[in-house]
Amino acid sequence: MSDRDPYFDNAKYLAIVLVVCGHMIEDLREEPIAHALYFYVYVFHMPLFITLSGYLSRNFTFSSGKARKLIATLAVPYVIFELAYSVPRLLLYGKLELSLLDPYYLTWFLMSLFLWRLSTPVWQQLRWPLAVAVGLSLLSGTSALPDELSMNRTLGLLPFYVLGLMLRPEHFELLRRPSMKVVGGAALAAGLVAALALHDLVPTEWIRWRHANDAIGVDDLTGSLIRLGLLAAGAVLVAAFMAVTPRRRTWFSGLGAATMYAYLLHGFVVKVAERLGLGVPLSIALGVVVATVLCTPPVRAAFGWAVEPRMSWAFTALRRPVR
């Protein structure tokens, strides 16, 4: 009997559906409805994944087992998919640029999550970790950081990882109350209405967290206020999303344990779909199907070597310092 909590697996599955659908309509943003939905989803879909990653990383230490898992589940897949995505980039755009320190396309999340997990023990020692993380996030917008190590996104989205580290089971119990489903649903609906009304007024780069304030065309004070607002909006929508997530076991609960497969593999489907011009409704429907299929056992069996490689052969017995 699995001891996994279906509540978090449900949330991860629903979140990866949002991620895939968001990427499926990214190339259709000239249509207002696609642009509005893209804006809405991007405000909170990766903050949701990052917050859950932080919560599930609370027990990370530098012990041999955790360090080896970090290498096998993040570092090695990062190298594999950074190389793999260079192929369609070459075929579609005629570019062959290999740089393991400058993540391309989807792989930035693996790089950032690797760095966030390494920093976990530091955040657990600070008195006000979330305030420090927010401060670093705002400061990151005041400088033109290098693309290496995905520094803008790593620092900009850092507060969501630290938020996850600070959360406890009792916080999620509050969100699981029946009354919170109503509040959460209302908040998500209000966010969608706001996105429909404001998506044309806010540059897309704000929700991508890729550039400094001046590169988006604002001064640092204005940029910091916008970033603070996006952090707050993201946190509210993450809480709202978790409030409406089913806590019981569902037909998709088992798929939630394999969302990294969908995340890393769906980009190849997106690149093909962009050439087909499917339209918004069909692209969203295809996104749901793709996200679901890529989390299934057959896909895990076929691509486990890349997403969850077995690396025991690469590790030696734990070396202890000689006294």
Side-chain angles (χ1 to χ4, degrees):
M1 182 74 67
S2 174
D3 59 355
R4 295 181 65 95
D5 188 339
Y7 174 62
F8 293 106
D9 282 337
N10 292 339
K12 289 169 64 181
Y13 167 78
L14 295 173
I16 198 62
V17 168
L18 292 178
V19 171
V20 177
C21 289
H23 282 141
M24 290 295 293
I25 64 174
E26 183 173 10
D27 206 43
L28 304 172
R29 285 175 291 143
E30 69 278 1
E31 299 186 36
I33 186 62
H35 191 275
L37 292 175
Y38 179 86
F39 182 85
Y40 175 60
V41 167
Y42 264 66
V43 169
F44 73 96
H45 75 332
M46 287 314 295
L48 172 60
F49 252 119
I50 296 166
T51 301
L52 290 175
S53 296
Y55 179 74
L56 298 174
S57 301
R58 292 170 299 152
N59 296 323
F60 178 82
T61 64
F62 289 120
S63 65
S64 59
K66 294 293 177 64
R68 294 179 181 192
K69 186 176 181 181
L70 191 66
I71 293 171
T73 60
L74 292 179
V76 174
Y78 170 78
V79 174
I80 292 173
F81 281 93
E82 184 72 10
L83 295 174
Y85 275 113
S86 68
V87 176
R89 189 183 194 186
L90 174 63
L91 296 176
L92 296 175
Y93 309 114
K95 296 180 180 179
L96 181 60
E97 300 176 5
L98 299 178
S99 175
L100 293 183
L101 294 181
D102 183 5
Y104 172 64
Y105 197 33
L106 304 173
T107 56
W108 72 267
F109 179 62
L110 294 182
M111 171 69 78
S112 295
L113 185 55
F114 183 87
L115 296 173
W116 290 329
R117 283 213 174 127
L118 283 179
S119 71
T120 297
V122 174
W123 301 110
Q124 292 172 334
Q125 300 300 315
L126 296 179
R127 187 179 296 276
W128 301 290
L130 190 55
V132 173
V134 169
L136 289 174
S137 177
L138 299 182
L139 284 174
S140 71
T142 65
S143 303
L145 299 177
D147 292 332
E148 284 74 15
L149 303 181
S150 191
M151 290 304 297
N152 283 288
R153 280 170 166 160
T154 299
L155 290 175
L157 293 165
L158 173 63
F160 294 109
Y161 182 79
V162 177
L163 173 63
L165 288 177
M166 299 301 104
L167 291 175
R168 296 292 178 265
E170 52 267 28
H171 296 133
F172 288 102
E173 285 301 323
L174 291 174
L175 294 176
R176 293 181 180 189
R177 293 178 178 178
S179 60
M180 291 304 296
K181 288 186 178 296
V182 177
V183 176
L188 289 173
L192 179 57
V193 171
L196 290 169
L198 301 174
H199 69 96
D200 278 335
L201 304 177
V202 183
T204 302
E205 283 304 327
W206 284 116
I207 56 174
R208 289 179 170 178
W209 297 89
R210 298 189 306 181
H211 298 297
N213 299 325
D214 61 350
I216 309 178
V218 300
D219 60 83
D220 286 334
L221 177 59
T222 302
S224 295
L225 292 175
I226 293 174
R227 288 171 182 272
L228 191 60
L230 287 172
L231 289 173
V236 169
L237 291 176
V238 166
F241 187 92
M242 294 304 297
V244 302
T245 297
R247 61 180 302 177
R248 66 185 185 284
R249 183 162 296 280
T250 66
W251 64 267
F252 53 79
S253 296
L255 302 177
T259 52
M260 191 60 80
Y261 285 80
Y263 180 81
L264 291 174
L265 294 170
H266 81 273
F268 298 104
V269 180
V270 170
K271 292 302 181 183
V272 174
E274 286 177 351
R275 295 301 203 243
L276 301 179
L278 300 176
V280 177
L282 192 54
S283 293
I284 292 175
L286 180 60
V288 175
V289 173
V290 168
T292 302
V293 170
L294 292 181
C295 292
T296 58
V299 173
R300 297 180 69 176
F303 293 97
W305 62 272
V307 181
E308 295 180 298
R310 297 181 179 180
M311 299 296 299
S312 57
W313 58 270
F315 299 122
T316 184
L318 180 62
R319 297 190 182 99
R320 300 187 181 279
V322 179
R323 296 183 179 180

